[in-house]
Each structure stands twice: as structure tokens, then as C-alpha cells.
Amino acid sequence: MRCNDQMRRGDRVPLLHPNTLTSVTAERPPVRLRPEIAALPAYRQGRSATADGFKLSSNENAFEPLPGILDAVAAASDINRYPDAGATALREKLAPRFGVTIDEVHVGAGSVSLLSQFINAAAGPGDEVLYSWRSFEAYPGLVTVSGATSVQIPNLLDGRHDLTGMAAAVTERTRVAIVCSPNNPTGGVVAAEAFARFMAAVPSDLLVLLDEAYIEFVRDGGAVNGHALIGMYPNLVVLRTFSKAWGLAGLRLGYAVGPAHVLDAARAAAIPLSVTGPAQAAGAAALDHEAELTARVDRIVTQRNEVRAALLETGLPVLESEANFLWLPLRGDTEAAADILHSHGLETRAFAGEGIRVSIGEPESVAKLKQAAVDIVDNLPSTLQMGRID
Ligand SMILES: *Cc1c(COP(=O)(O)O)cnc(C)c1O
């Protein structure tokens, strides 16, 4: 029997003084873990910048928080009490923006926790979760933790989702399909028409998560926008976050809009009370400061377009982006190019053999970025050939 077995094994280990703990670890068999979890790489955070450098590795909003939002956080001072588990005040502000009831809005500690809740609510061992790849780094780990299996459909050459391929990969085991638009890290959007075809092609009982972490940066009028689709599909949940455009990454706040019974399942899969009071207050205050925040987003978009043009001018390949980052498909030169960026004080996100994602950050980072780009092209002339995808 399992229990006796463990006791007997424990009995064989002599009780040792704390100083000799290492020898205990050496003698004991390792703690039994789920092998697929033990094999998971831990979350890799973007490197912090040096004093005169810039952190362009986590798609954060480089603007400092607005004073009005900081005041709201400070006013949420009853931190000796648990927060409102339902984030009611925030949901009451969000619901009318989407023309839904508050039951059709769910708030989580970042949209990563929402992704986790929806995946756990719909998929488990033996089930499949479908998404495009390369995409958001969190997807594979979240799926593995749920016990389900990832099915990854390679991106098209322009970095966008192959939605036809994704629809064709749906089996009776598929429980969740994730569509990320704009796609992190490649920056391209899903066209509204392509998304409509995808929704028509997949079964209406398959949960589709539309991850719109960067929607506020989109200027392509033909792109899918979950807001316009609310209420149209019984199986669609739209995920948004306060971390990027809204500048609240450090407080952990995201939300989902979709059918109430699907959101109820996510609520059931959530760790209760994980959205803190200060985060809820900050989200509500941010919505009150939308005009100022939107003006900042406009500046980020302008800077994105300028940086892309400048990098293209040096000859580097840079995909079109509708987000607050750019993707340089540098393939075999990725790591060498990331080192050059690092030597210029620029921390970026490199995916070995694939490319580099550069966040649009402080305006002061742009000059360094241009210098680094020239340096890359001078030192790695093969990068000049890489942008050609046609
Ligand atoms: C940043 C990001 C998120 C959200 O992050 P949270 O900070 O957890 O809200 C979700 N999806 C994608 C694709 C992202 O890049």
C-alpha cells in the first residue's frame, strides 16, 4: 500500500542534525513530482537594463503611472482586509463598455491567470489545446500544467496565424483553441474575415480564447477586434489586460468578456481572492483616465512605426507589427545580434534560431537601437538577406 510504503521508506532515513541535511538529501529518493512539470523550464523574465540602458524585453509601457492612478492605489489602503472576491466595482465599469452584464465579465490577476483558468476549466489529461506557434511563451506551460496536450500549428512565414491549418487540426479531443492577435512575439494581426471563417469552421462547443493583450495598439482597420464580436458566438471568450497599454503590469490585472456560464467555469477554476484591492482600484482609475492613456498609446504607436522604418532602412528584416514591439526574424544570427544589442545597453527577447522581439520603450532608446542596428548589419551581413519572405 502506498501509505505504508512511504512510511517504511522514510524510516530507513536516519534522523540527522540540520548541519548534515545535505547528506539526507543525497540519501533520500527525490520527491515524486509529475515528470512533465519537473521538466518544464521556469518562467524566464526579461533581463533588467543597466543604469544607462533600456529594458525592451517585456513589452511593458515605459511611461510612468499617472498620478491619479497612483492616488487610487494609495487610497485602497485597507490592505489588512481581503479584497472583493468578485472585483464588482471594476466589473461594473467594464461591462457597459462592452454592452454586457457583469456576469459576462471576469477579472483575474493578469490575463495569464485567466488563460490558466479557462484552460483548466475546459481541458485536462487526454484533451488537446490548439494554438499557433511561435506565440505567447506562457501557452505551452499552462497547457502542460493542466494535463492536456499542446497542438502547435506553425505560423505562416509572415509570422501570422495559419487559421486554416488550425481549423483543420481540430479533433474531437480539442477543448480549447487560442488565437493571439496581435501575435506575441511576431506582431501581426488576424484579419476579421479570417477569424470569422475560423469560427464558422470549428465546432460551436469548442472554447475559443481570443487573446487581445495588445489590441489597443492596433491601427489596421481590417484586424479582428473581440469587442465587435461580443454576443455573436456561444464559444468565444475575449481576453484583455491592463498590463500593456494601460501600464499596470506590476499590479497584475486582466479581464475576460464572454458567455456567463463559461466565465463561471473559469471563476470556479480560479484561486479565490487573487486580484488585490489596489489592483482593482488601479484598474477602475485607469478607465477614468482613458483619454490620457490613449494619448500615450498613440505616441507608442507612432514610435513603433518610426522605429520599424529606421530599422528597415539599415537593411534589417522587421515584420509589420500592430503591437508595442517589433519582431526581427534573424534566424541563425539571433543570438549574435542579441549580444550586439546587449552591448549597446538594450535588453531584448531573443528566441535562438528564430528571432528577436524588441519592445517599443523609452523614446531615448531609439537612438541606441538605430546604432545597434547598424552594428548588427556591419557585423552580421547575412542578416540583410533574411527579411525576404516573398
Ligand atoms: C503580456 C501578455 C498577456 C498578459 O499578461 P498579464 O500581465 O498576465 O495580463 C497575455 N497574452 C499575451 C499574448 C501577452 O503578451
Side-chain angles (χ1 to χ4, degrees), residues 67-307:
I69 298 176
L70 289 177
D71 292 345
V73 172
S77 60
D78 57 342
I79 55 172
N80 53 316
R81 305 285 180 192
Y82 282 113
D84 170 11
T88 319
L90 179 56
R91 279 158 66 218
E92 279 169 350
K93 269 181 180 279
L94 288 167
R97 295 167 67 94
F98 293 89
V100 298
T101 66
I102 68 165
D103 293 342
E104 295 161 292
V105 181
H106 171 45
V107 171
S111 57
V112 169
S113 26
L114 295 168
L115 282 159
S116 159
Q117 292 166 24
F118 284 103
I119 292 169
N120 282 311
D127 299 329
E128 293 174 354
V129 178
L130 178 69
Y131 50 88
S132 194
W133 196 250
R134 175 164 290 279
S135 188
F136 187 30
E137 287 173 277
Y139 298 155
L142 294 174
V143 174
T144 300
V145 170
S146 77
T149 303
S150 281
V151 176
Q152 303 180 332
I153 305 303
N155 293 340
L156 299 170
L157 279 177
D158 64 2
R160 304 217 264 176
H161 286 22
D162 173 10
L163 282 180
T164 313
M166 285 177 69
V170 172
T171 71
E172 59 184 26
R173 286 188 299 279
T174 314
R175 289 291 170 277
V176 183
I178 309 174
V179 174
C180 186
S181 177
N183 187 46
N184 176 5
T186 52
V189 289
V190 165
E193 283 174 20
F195 188 75
R197 279 195 300 274
F198 176 76
M199 290 305 289
V202 303
S204 62
D205 60 359
L206 168 65
L207 175 59
V208 178
L209 300 176
L210 178 57
D211 185 345
E212 296 192 320
Y214 302 96
I215 187 74
E216 296 86 354
F217 303 103
V218 173
R219 294 295 176 271
D220 174 353
V224 69
N225 186 323
H227 192 153
L229 305 178
I230 302 297
M232 280 177 61
Y233 302 99
N235 55 330
L236 176 64
V237 171
V238 176
L239 298 178
R240 298 209 170 167
T241 178
F242 282 96
S243 294
K244 310 287 161 55
W246 297 86
L248 299 180
L251 281 173
R252 317 303 304 123
L253 192 66
Y255 61 96
V257 185
H261 82 277
V262 183
L263 302 198
D264 285 342
R267 287 185 260 264
I271 294 171
L273 302 162
S274 53
V275 185
T276 67
Q280 297 178 31
L287 296 173
D288 289 339
H289 288 83
E290 186 171 14
E292 288 144 282
L293 290 166
T294 303
R296 291 174 162 194
V297 168
D298 285 342
R299 287 166 63 184
I300 296 169
V301 167
T302 303
Q303 188 175 320
R304 167 190 82 202
N305 296 340
E306 285 169 5
V307 171

Side-chain angles (χ1 to χ4, degrees), residues 317-330:
V318 191
L319 296 191
E320 264 180 52
S321 170
E322 292 287 319
N324 66 340
F325 54 81
L326 296 169
W327 176 251
L328 283 51
L330 296 173

Side-chain angles (χ1 to χ4, degrees), residues 32-49:
R32 291 203 218 183
L33 303 168
R34 288 167 59 190
E36 71 275 24
I37 304 294
L40 269 183
Y43 176 73
R44 210 162 41 97
Q45 184 153 32
R47 268 195 290 202
S48 329

